[in-house]
Amino acid sequence: MSTARHVARALPTMLRVSFAEMLAYRAELLVWMLAYTMPLIMLALWTAVARDAPVGNFDQRGFQAYFMVTLVVRFCTSAWVVWEMNFEVRQGTLQRRLLRPIHPMIAYACEQAAALPLRVVLMVPIVVATLLWLGPSILTRDPVQVALVLPTILGAWCLMFLTNALIGTLSLWWESSISVFEVWMGLYFVFSGYVIPLSLFPDWLNSALDWLPFRYMLSSPVENLLGLCSRQESLRAAGVQWLIALLLAVALWRGWARGVKRFQAFGG
Amino acid sequence: MIRVERLVKHYQVHARAPGIRAAVRSLFKRERKTVAAVDGIDFSIAAGERVGFLGPNGAGKTTTLKVLAGLLHPTSGEVEVAGFRPARREPDFLRSIMLVTGQKQQLLWDLPPSDTFELNRAIYDVPRARFQEALDELIALLDLSPLVGKPTRQLSMGERMRCELAAALLHRPGVLFLDEPTIGLDVTAQSAVRRFIRSYNERHGATILLTSHDMNDVAALCPRVIVIDHGRLIHDGPLPELVRRLRPEKRVVLALSRPVSRADLETLGIVHAHEEGRAILQVEPGKLTSVVSAALERLPVSDLAVEDPPLEDVLADLFARAAPGAAAAT
């Protein structure tokens, strides 16, 4: 039997059951939204800073548009699989996944992706409020950039999931990789454009960030959506984003296989 | 169906003395020691057998089950289950086995068991018609009708275990590893689980390897037992043979209509228990007939039963006789 066909047949049910599980935690999800208010704080801060004069190429309205869109993209692209993996390794419940004839990463991805529809629904009021407040002119009208909106947001979600899962895989060696994840998230907050638009960084740092995943996890979908970059820059960023995602997927596949071998050797 | 040859599984564990100084020292120099969880065991199990896998805590039972289920790589030795090498964890192998542990569940906590069943149908790629047939059978055998629609978190432990078994068996695995399946269950639930396991084995010819500290599970389900201690095999054979070999004596349980003295009982055999209205005598098998006749003649017996010694006692004897120092720790 082809593994790919088996996975394709199983996916709709896995997504549906994961979505049902997510609905069971809807109250928790609403509270969890509060953890994503950092862009609103940054919005207030940078709007105050830009009161007298623009900062870089951002005036007050520019910062407002940037951080409202950042809030939406961040909420739609978050992943938390590293916590699940660490918990399951420590509790010994990872064996449940290892006993199933479907790759655990596919199961994890389904569980995380199942949260997306609910998150999108929860974001609708924020998107509507933003458009009423700042007007639809804040968004790009370039057809290529419009066409890139969904692929770049999906690409950002893939990067978030893959980096989470890669760090989670370290728990197969160390039992806990949460501290590594916290360091990673610290870098992410600074270098993804979450607290400061990347164009405000010096050129040399921006050049370095072009070759790291952080930009493509948040900033580049936001810049594309707002038309803050040219069509060519959007296309290039989308290409690099998916290339990094592919490299991370290969690294995860190999890392997971090695980690499970190690886990099988030392006990679960 | 299951073949194990010279199976060895050693773990490397960090060793550290208690106290803050040892904790600080371990930051710079970590000492390791090797623990021999399984130390060269051999056995084979034919298709359709129900076998009890017994041993004290830390004997290596769960480690062996995990090796057989492909969750652990053996340090050395050969293992074959249903024609597969478990450590490779091939999808067809994973479809042909199931490991059910009484302490770790696979049911989705906040959803009804019916959702876990549906998820397992998809994951194990069970055709819809076969799934429905298996589900109907499991619902009937385990009396699940009132449970399948309730959120798992609202089910009692016994109800959850019944649903757990159903979720594990929907794809009809031919080899079933059961690790303490009745742990924490009340007497009624234990009995229901045992009946079901036997029935599943008889209906589908499944091979069952079961670990349990509850000897009632073993007595009710397993004609054959494999006993390990300190990672080494110390008995493999029929359960009655084990009892006969280690504790050949019989127990005569007397219900008495009026009190009798201990001295009167001691003329018949070793008094194992003596309380008002009840006594248990330990008797050599050759003297059983004469002791029973004498008891009926001399004592006010209202009821009499002849039993084997409890399996717990037999195993305690067995573990006490097993050579100490078998655990390798270097």
Side-chain angles (χ1 to χ4, degrees), chain A residues 1 6 9 25 98 264-265 268, chain B residues 9 70 73 89 110 123 125:
Chain A
M1 181 192 315
H6 169 207
R9 274 197 298 273
Y25 296 112
L98 295 175
Q264 285 177 311
Chain B
K9 179 66 193 174
H73 269 288
R89 295 178 50 250
D110 289 298
I123 285 173
D125 207 19

Side-chain angles (χ1 to χ4, degrees), chain A residues 1 6 9-10 13-14 16-17 20-21 24-25 91-92 95-96 98-101 260 264-268, chain B residues 9 11 66 69-73 87 89 91 94-95 99 104-106 108 110-111 118 120-125:
Chain A
M1 181 192 315
H6 169 207
R9 274 197 298 273
T13 306
M14 291 170 73
R16 190 180 58 69
V17 173
E21 207 175 8
Y25 296 112
Q91 296 295 312
Q95 69 176 42
R96 189 183 68 185
L98 295 175
L99 283 170
R100 290 175 168 171
V260 167
Q264 285 177 311
F266 287 86
Chain B
K9 179 66 193 174
Y11 292 113
K66 284 183 172 180
L71 291 169
L72 292 176
H73 269 288
R89 295 178 50 250
L94 296 173
R95 279 189 201 95
L99 169 66
K104 293 191 177 101
Q105 62 159 32
Q106 62 160 321
L108 300 165
D110 289 298
L111 298 182
E118 187 60 24
N120 280 10
R121 182 196 67 72
I123 285 173
Y124 287 95
D125 207 19

